[in-house]
Amino acid sequence: MATLDQKSPNVLLQSLCCRITGKSEAEVAHQFQYAVRVIGSNYAPTIERDEFLVSEKIKKELLKQRREADAALFSELHRKLQTQGVLKHRWSVLYLLLSLSEDPRKPSSRVGNYGALFAQALPRDAHSTPFYCTRPQSLALSYGERSAGLSGSVGTSGISSLGVYTLNGPTPTPQPLLAGQPPQPAGGGGQPLGSRLAWTLPVSSSPSSTLVPPAARPPLGPPVPAARVVRPRRDGDPAGEVNEAALVRDILYVFQGIDGKFIKMSAQDNCYKIDSKVVLCKSLRDTSSRLAELGWLHNKVRKYTDARSLDRAFGLVGQSFCASLHQELKEYYRLLSVLHSQLQVEDDQGVTVCTESSLTLRRLLVWMYDPKVRLKTLAALVDFCQGRKGGELASAVHAYGKTGDPQMRALVQHILSLVSHPILNFLYRWIYDGELEDTYHEFFVASDPNVKTDRLWHDKYSLRKSMIPSFITMDQARKVLLIGKSINFLHQVCHDRTPPGKITAASKSADTPKDAAELLSDLEGAFQEKIDAAYFDTSKYLLDVLNRNYLLLEHLQAMRRYLLLGQGDFIRHLMDLLKPELVRPATTLYQHNLTGILETAVRATNAQYDNAEILKRLDVRLLEVSPGDTGWDVFSLDYHVDGPISTVFTRECMGHYLRVFNFLWRAKRMEYTLTDIWKGQMCNAKLLKTMPELSGVLHQCHILASEMVHFIHQMQYYITFEVLECSWDELWNKVRQAQDLDHIIAAHEVFLDTIISRCLLDNNSRSLLNQLRAIFDQIIEFQSAQDSLYRSALEELSLRLQYEEKKRQREEEGQWGVTAEQEAEEKKRIQEFQETIPKMRSQLRILTHFYQSIVQQFLVLLMTSSDESLRFLSFRLDFNEHYRAREPRLRASIGATRGRQLSNI
């Protein structure tokens, strides 16, 4: 068994600690305990598992060492490794290489080091509160051989009555966050409260009795009952009555949260109570009860820190909060140490009566007033911060600083400087490097690793509003989000390899809690200037890259020219070329034929002078075919977007552009159709003068065509100038003045929403759009009716001319012009043609009636619209009150209609 014990892991670990430190086993107890905890812990890197970030860090380190060639070589090798897929865990390999390259002797100020520090729960030999270390019972070592050595190696600068600590004992008091920096008192730059109070305590005549040195101070509350020495009662005290000196010693135990001989914690009432069997006067009992409240407050704060210090999920901000509470408790322990020293001096001198220089309950009540106020503040803060973490915890602490008490405000400000330190480090790492190392989700910027690169700007990063500290405004938080998002967008989407340090100069970060406190004291000055400088520099660089390398503004203008029909000569020529194809059934169209026609139209118009990068993105798209559709119904232009510009022209935006194009294309087709109708009327008017029976029908066609032309011209004016041009001018001004990419995206979305709404394509205008489409259908039907009329009329005219020509030829030959039979046939055919004219007239009358009724309903809907421009459009469409005379609902004035709407609202 001895052999097995000597080879057990614990014994081997103990031997390793002795070998490394060169000390005996008794002297390395603390190091051994720390080593056991390190081996038993489960460390994990505190950075996000992002291969891109790790590779960027490695290249950044190489550039810092002026090894540009190695950085380029590493980038090329990493790219090849990504394409081959040999390794499954590339991130782990890169992270290992990065960790091995770091110099362990070089101090690091990264936030990740704090995560590792808190993950260790801090070594127990760094505590301000002493304790006794024990070893696990699984060790095959004799405790008796080392008990003297261990007890002699433990410091006694605080409270030794906390008892024997095991490895799983209460959470120790952590040291300050940054090694080498002494804890700052909460009240400012003065001495700690314990040191100040030590000078105010009365001293005896012996110079050596002022204060016992810390190394020689006996423990305030001994771990074994035999160490408690109760001062003897004064002569004349009744039996069973406790003197004040014994109460003072009990109170000092209670201050530490330890039950005394006479004062104990009542679990039922949750407070310290004096034993009912003890005989005390009312004044001493009341004073003792008031003093015992400090123990209850101490327990409340200590319980919170013990429960949270080892909780890794509490995060860096929460651990900083616990560290600040530990610092305050450390100052409290120093004060108790001073009081205990004074009490020990009195015991050593044999003071048995209360003198002017002895400790009394009243003196304790006065001296402990300030510590009690501080503990009350800490206890209230602990209650208020329950269940909070990260930025929400910092907001809770900041809220407590809004008080008129300068001492309390200074205490809260000191705690806030420690709590906000990790948040500010997160913030500076994010805005200067674009790196988000938020393992415990404490920062107000959240990242979704499942989002793909094409949606990086829109979906990958977002704000956790609950985690925004109250000392950071929403505008500042939005700017912080945009800065880091812009850096990652440049690297991952734009493939821009410019180091972040060249985009914006990194200013001094919050390296220490003192720096954090200075920043918090000037949130509207230096802090705001840092964020604004990084925001403007990063956003300006991003927009320059998008405009210079990816032609963002040129693509925006191309959308206006081609998808919104702004290039007039190109659109007109394209319609002329497409007309023979688009009149055919939609099922007979082929996209490659239409693409060839599109290229012909581009080469024949001013569109040929556009950038080749833009022209190659222009394409033809055929919509889904429905039964009875012609080519006009399914044809559409398309514009392909990819890469960074797809962040502005998203799939939803391109869907809006497609809807608007179809609407504008249909309206343009109506204009094109009415032009053909007018040309047909002008060309055939002289030809058909010889047929007086058609004059009424042709006049009816002219009137209806004029109505339709007026309607389409007014609609085209409204769409082109009041909708497209005005909205485009607003968009262009906003884009030229935009400070970041979000401003451009927002302005573009407003532009599309405005066009969709004012072109009657939104859900609220569905009835108007249906009426407008019905009007367009009537125009197409009128074109087919007029074409049919002209075909039959021209056919009849041709036959009459042939008859007259034949008659003239026979007369020239000296024969009779026509025979009786021929003349009878001619009259019969003319009679049959004249009989079809009433049918044509009635068909046109029905068509006119339907058209006018639809227009009247459309005008009524325009009059009742909430959009003022649509109401004025109804006035222009019916400028001579032609429809108003037919429809009673149109007889109300625009002002009266608007007044009724406002009253209804």
Side-chain angles (χ1 to χ4, degrees), residues 166-310:
T166 64
L167 287 175
N168 298 319
T171 304
T173 304
Q175 59 186 3
L177 280 178
L178 294 177
Q181 301 233 354
Q184 299 294 330
Q191 287 180 305
L193 183 59
S195 302
R196 294 200 304 269
L197 183 56
W199 290 101
T200 62
L201 289 172
V203 296
S204 62
S205 59
S206 174
S208 61
S209 63
T210 55
L211 276 180
V212 181
R217 291 176 190 163
L220 182 58
V224 291
R228 299 168 82 184
V229 180
V230 182
R231 294 160 64 184
R233 298 190 181 93
R234 290 174 291 177
D235 296 333
D237 287 343
E241 184 176 355
V242 180
N243 61 12
E244 187 172 358
L247 281 178
V248 168
R249 185 173 294 278
D250 252 26
I251 284 295
L252 291 183
Y253 292 151
V254 171
F255 284 167
Q256 308 167 56
I258 303 170
D259 286 352
K261 186 175 181 180
F262 311 109
I263 306 176
K264 301 181 183 297
M265 169 62 76
S266 172
Q268 182 178 358
D269 298 328
N270 191 24
C271 65
Y272 281 97
K273 284 190 172 183
I274 302 175
D275 194 344
S276 58
K277 298 178 181 179
V278 176
V279 179
L280 275 180
C281 64
K282 188 176 184 302
S283 62
L284 290 180
R285 185 179 292 273
D286 291 345
T287 305
S288 300
S289 298
R290 292 171 62 186
L291 287 170
E293 187 181 351
L294 273 86
W296 183 86
L297 295 171
H298 166 272
N299 287 353
K300 189 176 187 64
V301 177
R302 186 58 184 265
K303 182 180 179 182
Y304 180 84
T305 58
D306 288 349
R308 289 295 191 176
S309 290
L310 288 177

Side-chain angles (χ1 to χ4, degrees), residues 251-471:
I251 284 295
L252 291 183
Y253 292 151
V254 171
F255 284 167
Q256 308 167 56
I258 303 170
D259 286 352
K261 186 175 181 180
F262 311 109
I263 306 176
K264 301 181 183 297
M265 169 62 76
S266 172
Q268 182 178 358
D269 298 328
N270 191 24
C271 65
Y272 281 97
K273 284 190 172 183
I274 302 175
D275 194 344
S276 58
K277 298 178 181 179
V278 176
V279 179
L280 275 180
C281 64
K282 188 176 184 302
S283 62
L284 290 180
R285 185 179 292 273
D286 291 345
T287 305
S288 300
S289 298
R290 292 171 62 186
L291 287 170
E293 187 181 351
L294 273 86
W296 183 86
L297 295 171
H298 166 272
N299 287 353
K300 189 176 187 64
V301 177
R302 186 58 184 265
K303 182 180 179 182
Y304 180 84
T305 58
D306 288 349
R308 289 295 191 176
S309 290
L310 288 177
D311 184 8
R312 293 186 62 185
F314 197 33
L316 305 184
V317 178
Q319 296 293 353
S320 298
F321 181 55
C322 290
S324 64
L325 295 179
H326 276 302
Q327 283 192 8
E328 296 301 321
L329 289 179
K330 186 191 297 184
E331 292 300 319
Y332 177 69
Y333 294 148
R334 288 176 179 169
L335 171 60
L336 298 185
S337 179
V338 172
L339 294 175
H340 173 73
S341 299
Q342 176 67 16
L343 187 62
Q344 190 65 33
V345 169
E346 295 177 9
D347 289 341
D348 293 343
Q349 293 176 353
V351 178
T352 59
V353 295
C354 291
T355 64
E356 292 183 359
S357 63
S358 62
L359 281 177
T360 63
L361 293 179
R362 286 188 176 275
R363 286 193 177 99
L364 281 179
L365 195 61
V366 173
W367 291 337
M368 299 304 289
Y369 176 76
D370 283 343
K372 184 176 180 180
V373 172
R374 297 174 75 85
L375 281 179
K376 276 187 175 180
T377 304
L378 296 180
L381 202 55
V382 162
D383 272 342
F384 190 60
C385 295
Q386 288 286 350
R388 303 173 190 264
K389 61 179 288 188
E392 190 178 8
L393 176 62
S395 298
V397 175
H398 181 254
Y400 255 79
K402 300 174 181 179
T403 176
D405 187 344
Q407 292 185 355
M408 185 182 298
R409 186 167 61 248
L411 170 62
V412 175
Q413 287 295 330
H414 171 66
I415 295 175
L416 182 62
S417 67
L418 291 173
V419 169
S420 61
H421 181 222
I423 294 178
L424 294 178
N425 274 288
F426 285 145
L427 188 145
Y428 288 130
R429 196 71 177 274
W430 173 249
I431 66 176
Y432 291 130
D433 296 329
E435 297 176 1
L436 188 61
E437 298 182 357
D438 185 17
T439 308
Y440 305 109
H441 308 296
E442 303 170 272
F443 194 41
F444 55 83
V445 175
S447 172
D448 186 355
N450 298 322
V451 175
K452 296 182 179 179
T453 306
D454 58 338
R455 296 293 300 176
L456 181 144
W457 187 271
H458 297 283
D459 300 331
K460 185 164 187 177
Y461 301 106
S462 59
L463 284 177
R464 290 192 190 101
K465 293 187 177 180
S466 62
M467 289 297 173
I468 299 178
S470 55
F471 51 82

Side-chain angles (χ1 to χ4, degrees), residues 663 710-712 714-716 718-719 758-760 765-776 850-865 869-878 883 887 889-890:
F663 173 77
H710 169 71
F711 181 88
I712 293 300
Q714 292 301 322
M715 286 300 301
Q716 284 283 13
Y718 167 76
I719 293 170
R758 301 187 68 183
C759 284
L760 315 178
S765 305
R766 191 174 297 276
S767 56
L768 276 169
L769 182 62
N770 291 335
Q771 292 296 323
L772 187 60
R773 286 176 175 171
I775 293 174
F776 290 166
F850 278 141
Y851 171 78
Q852 290 182 347
S853 63
I854 294 172
V855 171
Q856 289 170 11
Q857 295 176 17
F858 182 72
L859 292 176
V860 170
L861 292 174
L862 289 180
M863 287 284 291
T864 57
S865 173
S869 61
L870 291 178
R871 295 199 297 273
F872 280 105
L873 173 62
S874 70
F875 172 75
R876 290 201 303 272
L877 291 174
D878 191 26
Y883 298 104
E887 177 58 57
R889 289 177 294 177
L890 295 175

